[in-house]
Amino acid sequence: KPPECVFAASVRLLHLGHNELRSLDGPLFQSFEALEELIVESNLIRKLPACIGNLSPSMQLLWAGENRLDEVPATLGRLTNLRSLRLETNWLRTIPVELGQCTLLEDLNLFNNPSLYQPPSEVVVRGCLAIVSYLQRLLEAKCLRARDESDLEDGEAAANKTADDSTGGPDREGDDEEDLDEEDLDEEDLDE
């Protein structure tokens, strides 16, 4: 590994707040194998890289408040040991339901996101546990919908296979009328 990656592998706290950062380099974060706390608040960041969800399993704190975020990646739901997530004062509209997997969250700040509609403000004002519970219910519904759609597709495929089997399949050999060309007709057929 290059020296900077060796160094990054041992970093437990990374404080990049108040630096007017406009973006975060996703691949750089893959080097932070022991990271427990990432603070990027009070910058100009518009997007958190999706690979941020692949950070250390021991990640406990992520503060990205006071930026220009209009979304956060669903991969944050992989940070299941997260205890504090601050996303206040951004431009968020929705929070991914996958954050419902972060059941250890004790601090979740979504205040001052004027366009936030999911979770709704009446849930946000009730605090962290209410938000996580709300997201868990949405995640469960999403999983059930995906399972039902998969079952439906499997059922349709089985029904189509059964129909194909009972009719000889889509390329039926016994259906000569559709497969005949004019040149295949002999004179007897033309006279009839």
Side-chain angles (χ1 to χ4, degrees):
K1 289 182 176 180
E4 60 273 9
C5 290
V6 172
F7 167 74
S10 64
V11 172
R12 297 173 75 178
L13 167 63
L14 185 59
H15 191 309
L16 299 172
H18 305 274
N19 280 299
E20 297 184 15
L21 297 175
R22 295 187 182 281
S23 65
L24 298 176
D25 182 10
L28 170 70
F29 283 99
Q30 295 173 342
S31 305
F32 292 96
E33 299 167 3
L35 197 60
E36 294 177 6
E37 298 183 9
L38 175 60
I39 299 172
V40 293
E41 63 187 1
S42 298
N43 281 295
L44 304 170
I45 301 167
R46 293 188 181 275
K47 184 177 182 180
L48 293 176
C51 67
I52 209 163
N54 299 330
L55 288 172
S56 166
S58 57
M59 180 74 145
Q60 296 180 28
L61 182 141
L62 173 57
W63 290 358
E66 299 179 27
N67 277 288
R68 295 184 178 174
L69 299 173
D70 60 6
E71 66 179 353
V72 292
T75 57
L76 285 184
R78 295 180 192 155
L79 300 174
T80 55
N81 288 314
L82 206 57
R83 294 186 179 278
S84 180
L85 176 60
R86 294 196 174 176
L87 299 168
E88 77 281 357
T89 315
N90 277 292
W91 301 340
L92 298 171
R93 292 181 300 270
T94 66
I95 298 300
V97 297
E98 289 78 5
L99 277 176
Q101 298 172 81
C102 299
T103 57
L104 299 179
L105 273 172
E106 301 166 347
D107 173 33
L108 177 54
N109 189 339
L110 300 175
F111 290 111
N112 202 16
N113 280 287
S115 300
L116 187 67
Y117 63 90
Q118 182 181 298
S121 59
E122 57 269 14
V123 173
V124 173
V125 298
R126 291 178 33 223
C128 180
L129 293 177
I131 296 168
V132 171
S133 177
Y134 174 85
L135 294 173
Q136 287 172 335
R137 287 191 308 274
L138 290 179
L139 181 61
E140 185 177 308
K142 179 180 178 180
C143 291
L144 287 173
R145 257 191 328 273
R147 190 187 74 209
D148 289 348
E149 288 172 4
S150 176
D151 289 350
L152 181 62
E153 289 170 3
D154 290 347
E156 288 174 355
N160 288 340
K161 182 173 178 4
T162 302
D164 289 347
D165 290 346
S166 68
T167 61
D171 296 324
R172 303 182 306 259
E173 293 179 24
D175 197 354
D176 293 335
E177 289 179 26
E178 291 179 20
D179 296 333
L180 289 178
D181 289 337
E182 281 186 46
E183 24 185 271
D184 292 335
L185 297 174
D186 57 24
E187 288 180 20
E188 273 181 34
D189 293 327
L190 291 175
D191 290 338
E192 293 177 6

mmCIF file with all atom_site columns, all heavy atoms in Angstrom, residues 147-169:
data_model
loop_
_atom_site.group_PDB
_atom_site.id
_atom_site.type_symbol
_atom_site.label_atom_id
_atom_site.label_alt_id
_atom_site.label_comp_id
_atom_site.label_asym_id
_atom_site.label_entity_id
_atom_site.label_seq_id
_atom_site.pdbx_PDB_ins_code
_atom_site.Cartn_x
_atom_site.Cartn_y
_atom_site.Cartn_z
_atom_site.occupancy
_atom_site.B_iso_or_equiv
_atom_site.pdbx_formal_charge
_atom_site.auth_seq_id
_atom_site.auth_comp_id
_atom_site.auth_asym_id
_atom_site.auth_atom_id
_atom_site.pdbx_PDB_model_num
ATOM 1   N N   . ARG A 1 147 ? -40.760 -8.397  -2.695  1.00 0.00 ? 147 ARG A N   1
ATOM 2   C CA  . ARG A 1 147 ? -41.008 -9.840  -2.643  1.00 0.00 ? 147 ARG A CA  1
ATOM 3   C C   . ARG A 1 147 ? -42.269 -10.203 -3.414  1.00 0.00 ? 147 ARG A C   1
ATOM 4   O O   . ARG A 1 147 ? -42.301 -11.165 -4.169  1.00 0.00 ? 147 ARG A O   1
ATOM 5   C CB  . ARG A 1 147 ? -41.116 -10.308 -1.196  1.00 0.00 ? 147 ARG A CB  1
ATOM 6   C CG  . ARG A 1 147 ? -41.137 -11.837 -1.095  1.00 0.00 ? 147 ARG A CG  1
ATOM 7   C CD  . ARG A 1 147 ? -41.402 -12.328 0.287   1.00 0.00 ? 147 ARG A CD  1
ATOM 8   N NE  . ARG A 1 147 ? -42.816 -12.098 0.550   1.00 0.00 ? 147 ARG A NE  1
ATOM 9   C CZ  . ARG A 1 147 ? -43.327 -11.875 1.737   1.00 0.00 ? 147 ARG A CZ  1
ATOM 10  N NH1 . ARG A 1 147 ? -42.558 -11.816 2.782   1.00 0.00 ? 147 ARG A NH1 1
ATOM 11  N NH2 . ARG A 1 147 ? -44.609 -11.681 1.888   1.00 0.00 ? 147 ARG A NH2 1
ATOM 12  N N   . ASP A 1 148 ? -43.331 -9.399  -3.230  1.00 0.00 ? 148 ASP A N   1
ATOM 13  C CA  . ASP A 1 148 ? -44.583 -9.654  -3.941  1.00 0.00 ? 148 ASP A CA  1
ATOM 14  C C   . ASP A 1 148 ? -44.396 -9.540  -5.444  1.00 0.00 ? 148 ASP A C   1
ATOM 15  O O   . ASP A 1 148 ? -44.922 -10.338 -6.206  1.00 0.00 ? 148 ASP A O   1
ATOM 16  C CB  . ASP A 1 148 ? -45.682 -8.696  -3.473  1.00 0.00 ? 148 ASP A CB  1
ATOM 17  C CG  . ASP A 1 148 ? -46.160 -8.997  -2.056  1.00 0.00 ? 148 ASP A CG  1
ATOM 18  O OD1 . ASP A 1 148 ? -45.815 -10.084 -1.529  1.00 0.00 ? 148 ASP A OD1 1
ATOM 19  O OD2 . ASP A 1 148 ? -46.845 -8.133  -1.480  1.00 0.00 ? 148 ASP A OD2 1
ATOM 20  N N   . GLU A 1 149 ? -43.638 -8.516  -5.877  1.00 0.00 ? 149 GLU A N   1
ATOM 21  C CA  . GLU A 1 149 ? -43.378 -8.344  -7.310  1.00 0.00 ? 149 GLU A CA  1
ATOM 22  C C   . GLU A 1 149 ? -42.581 -9.516  -7.847  1.00 0.00 ? 149 GLU A C   1
ATOM 23  O O   . GLU A 1 149 ? -42.842 -10.006 -8.941  1.00 0.00 ? 149 GLU A O   1
ATOM 24  C CB  . GLU A 1 149 ? -42.650 -7.028  -7.563  1.00 0.00 ? 149 GLU A CB  1
ATOM 25  C CG  . GLU A 1 149 ? -43.530 -5.813  -7.383  1.00 0.00 ? 149 GLU A CG  1
ATOM 26  C CD  . GLU A 1 149 ? -42.761 -4.503  -7.447  1.00 0.00 ? 149 GLU A CD  1
ATOM 27  O OE1 . GLU A 1 149 ? -41.542 -4.511  -7.717  1.00 0.00 ? 149 GLU A OE1 1
ATOM 28  O OE2 . GLU A 1 149 ? -43.395 -3.449  -7.221  1.00 0.00 ? 149 GLU A OE2 1
ATOM 29  N N   . SER A 1 150 ? -41.613 -9.979  -7.065  1.00 0.00 ? 150 SER A N   1
ATOM 30  C CA  . SER A 1 150 ? -40.809 -11.133 -7.472  1.00 0.00 ? 150 SER A CA  1
ATOM 31  C C   . SER A 1 150 ? -41.677 -12.376 -7.565  1.00 0.00 ? 150 SER A C   1
ATOM 32  O O   . SER A 1 150 ? -41.578 -13.145 -8.520  1.00 0.00 ? 150 SER A O   1
ATOM 33  C CB  . SER A 1 150 ? -39.673 -11.346 -6.473  1.00 0.00 ? 150 SER A CB  1
ATOM 34  O OG  . SER A 1 150 ? -38.954 -12.502 -6.798  1.00 0.00 ? 150 SER A OG  1
ATOM 35  N N   . ASP A 1 151 ? -42.566 -12.570 -6.568  1.00 0.00 ? 151 ASP A N   1
ATOM 36  C CA  . ASP A 1 151 ? -43.481 -13.709 -6.588  1.00 0.00 ? 151 ASP A CA  1
ATOM 37  C C   . ASP A 1 151 ? -44.411 -13.630 -7.785  1.00 0.00 ? 151 ASP A C   1
ATOM 38  O O   . ASP A 1 151 ? -44.690 -14.640 -8.441  1.00 0.00 ? 151 ASP A O   1
ATOM 39  C CB  . ASP A 1 151 ? -44.309 -13.771 -5.299  1.00 0.00 ? 151 ASP A CB  1
ATOM 40  C CG  . ASP A 1 151 ? -43.490 -14.173 -4.087  1.00 0.00 ? 151 ASP A CG  1
ATOM 41  O OD1 . ASP A 1 151 ? -42.323 -14.596 -4.264  1.00 0.00 ? 151 ASP A OD1 1
ATOM 42  O OD2 . ASP A 1 151 ? -44.009 -14.031 -2.955  1.00 0.00 ? 151 ASP A OD2 1
ATOM 43  N N   . LEU A 1 152 ? -44.891 -12.411 -8.086  1.00 0.00 ? 152 LEU A N   1
ATOM 44  C CA  . LEU A 1 152 ? -45.781 -12.216 -9.225  1.00 0.00 ? 152 LEU A CA  1
ATOM 45  C C   . LEU A 1 152 ? -45.056 -12.555 -10.523 1.00 0.00 ? 152 LEU A C   1
ATOM 46  O O   . LEU A 1 152 ? -45.598 -13.262 -11.374 1.00 0.00 ? 152 LEU A O   1
ATOM 47  C CB  . LEU A 1 152 ? -46.303 -10.775 -9.256  1.00 0.00 ? 152 LEU A CB  1
ATOM 48  C CG  . LEU A 1 152 ? -47.257 -10.426 -10.375 1.00 0.00 ? 152 LEU A CG  1
ATOM 49  C CD1 . LEU A 1 152 ? -48.524 -11.262 -10.266 1.00 0.00 ? 152 LEU A CD1 1
ATOM 50  C CD2 . LEU A 1 152 ? -47.599 -8.949  -10.342 1.00 0.00 ? 152 LEU A CD2 1
ATOM 51  N N   . GLU A 1 153 ? -43.817 -12.064 -10.660 1.00 0.00 ? 153 GLU A N   1
ATOM 52  C CA  . GLU A 1 153 ? -43.041 -12.367 -11.867 1.00 0.00 ? 153 GLU A CA  1
ATOM 53  C C   . GLU A 1 153 ? -42.779 -13.859 -11.975 1.00 0.00 ? 153 GLU A C   1
ATOM 54  O O   . GLU A 1 153 ? -42.883 -14.430 -13.056 1.00 0.00 ? 153 GLU A O   1
ATOM 55  C CB  . GLU A 1 153 ? -41.718 -11.592 -11.856 1.00 0.00 ? 153 GLU A CB  1
ATOM 56  C CG  . GLU A 1 153 ? -41.898 -10.112 -12.076 1.00 0.00 ? 153 GLU A CG  1
ATOM 57  C CD  . GLU A 1 153 ? -40.618 -9.323  -11.833 1.00 0.00 ? 153 GLU A CD  1
ATOM 58  O OE1 . GLU A 1 153 ? -39.558 -9.927  -11.551 1.00 0.00 ? 153 GLU A OE1 1
ATOM 59  O OE2 . GLU A 1 153 ? -40.682 -8.087  -11.917 1.00 0.00 ? 153 GLU A OE2 1
ATOM 60  N N   . ASP A 1 154 ? -42.452 -14.506 -10.851 1.00 0.00 ? 154 ASP A N   1
ATOM 61  C CA  . ASP A 1 154 ? -42.234 -15.949 -10.858 1.00 0.00 ? 154 ASP A CA  1
ATOM 62  C C   . ASP A 1 154 ? -43.512 -16.677 -11.248 1.00 0.00 ? 154 ASP A C   1
ATOM 63  O O   . ASP A 1 154 ? -43.483 -17.640 -12.014 1.00 0.00 ? 154 ASP A O   1
ATOM 64  C CB  . ASP A 1 154 ? -41.754 -16.444 -9.491  1.00 0.00 ? 154 ASP A CB  1
ATOM 65  C CG  . ASP A 1 154 ? -40.334 -15.994 -9.164  1.00 0.00 ? 154 ASP A CG  1
ATOM 66  O OD1 . ASP A 1 154 ? -39.634 -15.508 -10.078 1.00 0.00 ? 154 ASP A OD1 1
ATOM 67  O OD2 . ASP A 1 154 ? -39.943 -16.104 -7.985  1.00 0.00 ? 154 ASP A OD2 1
ATOM 68  N N   . GLY A 1 155 ? -44.653 -16.221 -10.715 1.00 0.00 ? 155 GLY A N   1
ATOM 69  C CA  . GLY A 1 155 ? -45.947 -16.829 -11.035 1.00 0.00 ? 155 GLY A CA  1
ATOM 70  C C   . GLY A 1 155 ? -46.301 -16.660 -12.498 1.00 0.00 ? 155 GLY A C   1
ATOM 71  O O   . GLY A 1 155 ? -46.795 -17.585 -13.146 1.00 0.00 ? 155 GLY A O   1
ATOM 72  N N   . GLU A 1 156 ? -46.045 -15.472 -13.045 1.00 0.00 ? 156 GLU A N   1
ATOM 73  C CA  . GLU A 1 156 ? -46.315 -15.239 -14.467 1.00 0.00 ? 156 GLU A CA  1
ATOM 74  C C   . GLU A 1 156 ? -45.425 -16.097 -15.339 1.00 0.00 ? 156 GLU A C   1
ATOM 75  O O   . GLU A 1 156 ? -45.864 -16.661 -16.337 1.00 0.00 ? 156 GLU A O   1
ATOM 76  C CB  . GLU A 1 156 ? -46.125 -13.759 -14.801 1.00 0.00 ? 156 GLU A CB  1
ATOM 77  C CG  . GLU A 1 156 ? -47.205 -12.868 -14.252 1.00 0.00 ? 156 GLU A CG  1
ATOM 78  C CD  . GLU A 1 156 ? -46.919 -11.390 -14.475 1.00 0.00 ? 156 GLU A CD  1
ATOM 79  O OE1 . GLU A 1 156 ? -45.827 -11.045 -14.974 1.00 0.00 ? 156 GLU A OE1 1
ATOM 80  O OE2 . GLU A 1 156 ? -47.791 -10.576 -14.143 1.00 0.00 ? 156 GLU A OE2 1
ATOM 81  N N   . ALA A 1 157 ? -44.158 -16.226 -14.951 1.00 0.00 ? 157 ALA A N   1
ATOM 82  C CA  . ALA A 1 157 ? -43.240 -17.055 -15.726 1.00 0.00 ? 157 ALA A CA  1
ATOM 83  C C   . ALA A 1 157 ? -43.683 -18.510 -15.696 1.00 0.00 ? 157 ALA A C   1
ATOM 84  O O   . ALA A 1 157 ? -43.659 -19.199 -16.720 1.00 0.00 ? 157 ALA A O   1
ATOM 85  C CB  . ALA A 1 157 ? -41.818 -16.914 -15.183 1.00 0.00 ? 157 ALA A CB  1
ATOM 86  N N   . ALA A 1 158 ? -44.125 -18.975 -14.524 1.00 0.00 ? 158 ALA A N   1
ATOM 87  C CA  . ALA A 1 158 ? -44.599 -20.356 -14.403 1.00 0.00 ? 158 ALA A CA  1
ATOM 88  C C   . ALA A 1 158 ? -45.868 -20.557 -15.228 1.00 0.00 ? 158 ALA A C   1
ATOM 89  O O   . ALA A 1 158 ? -46.025 -21.589 -15.893 1.00 0.00 ? 158 ALA A O   1
ATOM 90  C CB  . ALA A 1 158 ? -44.848 -20.707 -12.939 1.00 0.00 ? 158 ALA A CB  1
ATOM 91  N N   . ALA A 1 159 ? -46.770 -19.573 -15.178 1.00 0.00 ? 159 ALA A N   1
ATOM 92  C CA  . ALA A 1 159 ? -48.015 -19.673 -15.949 1.00 0.00 ? 159 ALA A CA  1
ATOM 93  C C   . ALA A 1 159 ? -47.711 -19.696 -17.446 1.00 0.00 ? 159 ALA A C   1
ATOM 94  O O   . ALA A 1 159 ? -48.305 -20.475 -18.197 1.00 0.00 ? 159 ALA A O   1
ATOM 95  C CB  . ALA A 1 159 ? -48.953 -18.516 -15.605 1.00 0.00 ? 159 ALA A CB  1
ATOM 96  N N   . ASN A 1 160 ? -46.788 -18.865 -17.883 1.00 0.00 ? 160 ASN A N   1
ATOM 97  C CA  . ASN A 1 160 ? -46.414 -18.847 -19.299 1.00 0.00 ? 160 ASN A CA  1
ATOM 98  C C   . ASN A 1 160 ? -45.783 -20.165 -19.706 1.00 0.00 ? 160 ASN A C   1
ATOM 99  O O   . ASN A 1 160 ? -46.042 -20.683 -20.780 1.00 0.00 ? 160 ASN A O   1
ATOM 100 C CB  . ASN A 1 160 ? -45.447 -17.688 -19.589 1.00 0.00 ? 160 ASN A CB  1
ATOM 101 C CG  . ASN A 1 160 ? -46.148 -16.348 -19.540 1.00 0.00 ? 160 ASN A CG  1
ATOM 102 O OD1 . ASN A 1 160 ? -47.367 -16.275 -19.655 1.00 0.00 ? 160 ASN A OD1 1
ATOM 103 N ND2 . ASN A 1 160 ? -45.378 -15.291 -19.356 1.00 0.00 ? 160 ASN A ND2 1
ATOM 104 N N   . LYS A 1 161 ? -44.939 -20.727 -18.838 1.00 0.00 ? 161 LYS A N   1
ATOM 105 C CA  . LYS A 1 161 ? -44.304 -22.003 -19.138 1.00 0.00 ? 161 LYS A CA  1
ATOM 106 C C   . LYS A 1 161 ? -45.359 -23.096 -19.232 1.00 0.00 ? 161 LYS A C   1
ATOM 107 O O   . LYS A 1 161 ? -45.333 -23.903 -20.143 1.00 0.00 ? 161 LYS A O   1
ATOM 108 C CB  . LYS A 1 161 ? -43.263 -22.354 -18.085 1.00 0.00 ? 161 LYS A CB  1
ATOM 109 C CG  . LYS A 1 161 ? -42.548 -23.662 -18.386 1.00 0.00 ? 161 LYS A CG  1
ATOM 110 C CD  . LYS A 1 161 ? -41.423 -23.905 -17.441 1.00 0.00 ? 161 LYS A CD  1
ATOM 111 C CE  . LYS A 1 161 ? -40.707 -25.206 -17.645 1.00 0.00 ? 161 LYS A CE  1
ATOM 112 N NZ  . LYS A 1 161 ? -41.032 -26.068 -18.702 1.00 0.00 ? 161 LYS A NZ  1
ATOM 113 N N   . THR A 1 162 ? -46.320 -23.107 -18.304 1.00 0.00 ? 162 THR A N   1
ATOM 114 C CA  . THR A 1 162 ? -47.388 -24.101 -18.321 1.00 0.00 ? 162 THR A CA  1
ATOM 115 C C   . THR A 1 162 ? -48.210 -23.964 -19.599 1.00 0.00 ? 162 THR A C   1
ATOM 116 O O   . THR A 1 162 ? -48.527 -24.950 -20.247 1.00 0.00 ? 162 THR A O   1
ATOM 117 C CB  . THR A 1 162 ? -48.296 -23.943 -17.083 1.00 0.00 ? 162 THR A CB  1
ATOM 118 O OG1 . THR A 1 162 ? -47.488 -24.071 -15.911 1.00 0.00 ? 162 THR A OG1 1
ATOM 119 C CG2 . THR A 1 162 ? -49.397 -24.979 -17.067 1.00 0.00 ? 162 THR A CG2 1
ATOM 120 N N   . ALA A 1 163 ? -48.526 -22.721 -19.972 1.00 0.00 ? 163 ALA A N   1
ATOM 121 C CA  . ALA A 1 163 ? -49.308 -22.486 -21.192 1.00 0.00 ? 163 ALA A CA  1
ATOM 122 C C   . ALA A 1 163 ? -48.516 -22.930 -22.414 1.00 0.00 ? 163 ALA A C   1
ATOM 123 O O   . ALA A 1 163 ? -49.061 -23.556 -23.326 1.00 0.00 ? 163 ALA A O   1
ATOM 124 C CB  . ALA A 1 163 ? -49.679 -21.008 -21.300 1.00 0.00 ? 163 ALA A CB  1
ATOM 125 N N   . ASP A 1 164 ? -47.237 -22.637 -22.438 1.00 0.00 ? 164 ASP A N   1
ATOM 126 C CA  . ASP A 1 164 ? -46.394 -23.045 -23.563 1.00 0.00 ? 164 ASP A CA  1
ATOM 127 C C   . ASP A 1 164 ? -46.308 -24.562 -23.650 1.00 0.00 ? 164 ASP A C   1
ATOM 128 O O   . ASP A 1 164 ? -46.363 -25.136 -24.718 1.00 0.00 ? 164 ASP A O   1
ATOM 129 C CB  . ASP A 1 164 ? -44.976 -22.467 -23.421 1.00 0.00 ? 164 ASP A CB  1
ATOM 130 C CG  . ASP A 1 164 ? -44.932 -20.964 -23.642 1.00 0.00 ? 164 ASP A CG  1
ATOM 131 O OD1 . ASP A 1 164 ? -45.937 -20.405 -24.137 1.00 0.00 ? 164 ASP A OD1 1
ATOM 132 O OD2 . ASP A 1 164 ? -43.897 -20.345 -23.306 1.00 0.00 ? 164 ASP A OD2 1
ATOM 133 N N   . ASP A 1 165 ? -46.173 -25.221 -22.485 1.00 0.00 ? 165 ASP A N   1
ATOM 134 C CA  . ASP A 1 165 ? -46.080 -26.675 -22.460 1.00 0.00 ? 165 ASP A CA  1
ATOM 135 C C   . ASP A 1 165 ? -47.370 -27.315 -22.959 1.00 0.00 ? 165 ASP A C   1
ATOM 136 O O   . ASP A 1 165 ? -47.343 -28.294 -23.696 1.00 0.00 ? 165 ASP A O   1
ATOM 137 C CB  . ASP A 1 165 ? -45.777 -27.183 -21.047 1.00 0.00 ? 165 ASP A CB  1
ATOM 138 C CG  . ASP A 1 165 ? -44.365 -26.846 -20.601 1.00 0.00 ? 165 ASP A CG  1
ATOM 139 O OD1 . ASP A 1 165 ? -43.541 -26.454 -21.464 1.00 0.00 ? 165 ASP A OD1 1
ATOM 140 O OD2 . ASP A 1 165 ? -44.089 -26.957 -19.384 1.00 0.00 ? 165 ASP A OD2 1
ATOM 141 N N   . SER A 1 166 ? -48.512 -26.756 -22.584 1.00 0.00 ? 166 SER A N   1
ATOM 142 C CA  . SER A 1 166 ? -49.787 -27.366 -22.960 1.00 0.00 ? 166 SER A CA  1
ATOM 143 C C   . SER A 1 166 ? -50.150 -27.117 -24.419 1.00 0.00 ? 166 SER A C   1
ATOM 144 O O   . SER A 1 166 ? -50.907 -27.869 -25.001 1.00 0.00 ? 166 SER A O   1
ATOM 145 C CB  . SER A 1 166 ? -50.912 -26.864 -22.050 1.00 0.00 ? 166 SER A CB  1
ATOM 146 O OG  . SER A 1 166 ? -51.152 -25.499 -22.285 1.00 0.00 ? 166 SER A OG  1
ATOM 147 N N   . THR A 1 167 ? -49.605 -26.090 -25.024 1.00 0.00 ? 167 THR A N   1
ATOM 148 C CA  . THR A 1 167 ? -49.908 -25.803 -26.426 1.00 0.00 ? 167 THR A CA  1
ATOM 149 C C   . THR A 1 167 ? -48.780 -26.201 -27.346 1.00 0.00 ? 167 THR A C   1
ATOM 150 O O   . THR A 1 167 ? -48.818 -25.904 -28.531 1.00 0.00 ? 167 THR A O   1
ATOM 151 C CB  . THR A 1 167 ? -50.201 -24.304 -26.629 1.00 0.00 ? 167 THR A CB  1
ATOM 152 O OG1 . THR A 1 167 ? -49.033 -23.557 -26.257 1.00 0.00 ? 167 THR A OG1 1
ATOM 153 C CG2 . THR A 1 167 ? -51.404 -23.867 -25.837 1.00 0.00 ? 167 THR A CG2 1
ATOM 154 N N   . GLY A 1 168 ? -47.767 -26.814 -26.766 1.00 0.00 ? 168 GLY A N   1
ATOM 155 C CA  . GLY A 1 168 ? -46.650 -27.200 -27.618 1.00 0.00 ? 168 GLY A CA  1
ATOM 156 C C   . GLY A 1 168 ? -45.586 -26.126 -27.668 1.00 0.00 ? 168 GLY A C   1
ATOM 157 O O   . GLY A 1 168 ? -44.679 -26.193 -28.472 1.00 0.00 ? 168 GLY A O   1
ATOM 158 N N   . GLY A 1 169 ? -45.709 -25.122 -26.838 1.00 0.00 ? 169 GLY A N   1
ATOM 159 C CA  . GLY A 1 169 ? -44.687 -24.077 -26.778 1.00 0.00 ? 169 GLY A CA  1
ATOM 160 C C   . GLY A 1 169 ? -44.916 -23.011 -27.811 1.00 0.00 ? 169 GLY A C   1
ATOM 161 O O   . GLY A 1 169 ? -45.756 -23.137 -28.695 1.00 0.00 ? 169 GLY A O   1
#
